[in-house]
Amino acid sequence: IAGITQAPTSQILAAGRRMTLRCTQDMRHNAMYWYRQDLGLGLRLIHYSNTAGTTGKGEVPDGYSVSRANTDDFPLTLASAVPSQTSVYFCASSDLAGDVDTQYFGPGTRLTVL
Amino acid sequence: GQNIDQPTEMTATEGAIVQINCTYQTSGFNGLFWYQQHAGEAPTFLSYNVLDGLEEKGRFSSFLSRSKGYSYLLLKELQMKDSASYLCAHMDSNYQLIWGAGTKLIIKP
């Protein structure tokens, strides 16, 4: 069982380019999340999805979009990348039906926008 | 508003005990989580408290006081592999996690 996988591991991107970060989980969790992590700041929620077919905005959604066509996949798209989107991006999932809504994280994508 | 604070960095000695504090302010509360994050890796779940008191799990224990908006993570018998960042997060009324910036724990021999 792989858990959560993310791709790519790292990427250098020119400003203005479009980029999709991929996230796949095989735990059949109903909820999935995208966070960014910047030095000196806590993890900040970008978008989330409580179940396939639905998405919601987190704390810092501007410049990002998501889709949740099925349970396993939750891609994050930067339509036109800007340098302030340089960050480490983590995807996470959780089973909202459980007693404890523990989030499990993927290995992260390190993105640099020049 | 919502706020969560924890020290930026702490140093401790191998074999000793260290307590990492976390304070939070929130209009709704659905639990307090602690995660460990080694440099360059993903956060991994350590503990969860929703009721007041101490939860013990091996060398790690976590305490919660909801009335004081306070939690701590206690690490005993420190090992070099415990060098990591420790992230405190509370779950708000919308069941979203609000994260602290993390405490970098440095273990010295």
Side-chain angles (χ1 to χ4, degrees):
Chain A
I1 296 177
I4 301 181
T5 58
Q6 293 184 234
T9 302
S10 64
Q11 182 76 44
I12 299 174
L13 190 66
R17 297 296 296 269
R18 180 183 179 91
M19 175 74 190
T20 295
L21 308 185
R22 299 184 298 278
C23 175
T24 300
Q25 54 106 356
D26 63 4
M27 297 178 284
R28 308 303 294 172
H29 284 170
N30 40 26
M32 296 186 75
Y33 313 84
W34 273 106
Y35 291 95
R36 59 179 289 172
Q37 187 175 41
D38 302 289
L39 196 64
L41 299 176
L43 288 160
R44 292 184 291 169
L45 183 65
I46 304 171
H47 285 286
Y48 65 93
S49 168
N50 287 336
T51 189
T54 69
T55 62
K57 294 181 179 180
E59 179 185 355
V60 288
D62 294 344
Y64 306 94
S65 63
V66 292
S67 61
R68 186 87 183 278
N70 56 61
T71 298
D72 299 344
D73 301 300
F74 191 43
L76 176 74
T77 297
L78 289 68
S80 179
V82 295
S84 61
Q85 292 178 312
T86 293
S87 187
V88 180
Y89 291 85
F90 287 103
C91 179
S93 71
S94 68
D95 179 8
L96 291 180
D99 291 336
V100 180
D101 188 21
T102 302
Q103 294 186 13
Y104 297 90
F105 286 78
T109 294
R110 185 174 296 275
L111 181 68
T112 302
V113 182
L114 301 176
Chain B
Q2 301 192 89
N3 197 18
I4 186 161
D5 293 307
Q6 52 182 132
T8 302
E9 186 174 298
M10 298 182 71
T11 302
T13 304
E14 189 178 15
I17 299 173
V18 70
Q19 177 175 312
I20 303 174
N21 296 324
C22 172
T23 58
Y24 64 89
Q25 296 173 320
T26 181
S27 55
F29 180 80
N30 283 297
L32 193 292
F33 291 78
W34 284 95
Y35 279 73
Q36 181 189 60
Q37 185 177 25
H38 286 100
E41 298 183 7
T44 56
F45 171 74
L46 283 178
S47 69
Y48 168 76
N49 296 67
V50 68
L51 299 177
D52 291 352
L54 189 68
E55 293 281 343
E56 296 187 79
K57 195 183 289 187
R59 293 190 299 115
F60 293 7
S61 302
S62 57
F63 171 83
L64 175 67
S65 168
R66 289 172 296 171
S67 63
K68 296 181 179 179
Y70 168 69
S71 174
Y72 67 73
L73 181 69
L74 192 71
L75 292 76
K76 304 175 185 176
E77 301 170 15
L78 285 170
Q79 302 175 10
M80 297 304 293
K81 68 179 182 179
D82 297 329
S83 292
S85 288
Y86 291 85
L87 314 181
C88 174
H90 73 79
M91 184 163 282
D92 69 10
S93 56
N94 294 318
Y95 294 91
Q96 301 295 347
L97 284 178
I98 308 300
W99 297 83
T103 299
K104 182 179 180 180
L105 178 63
I106 299 168
I107 310 295
K108 296 185 175 180

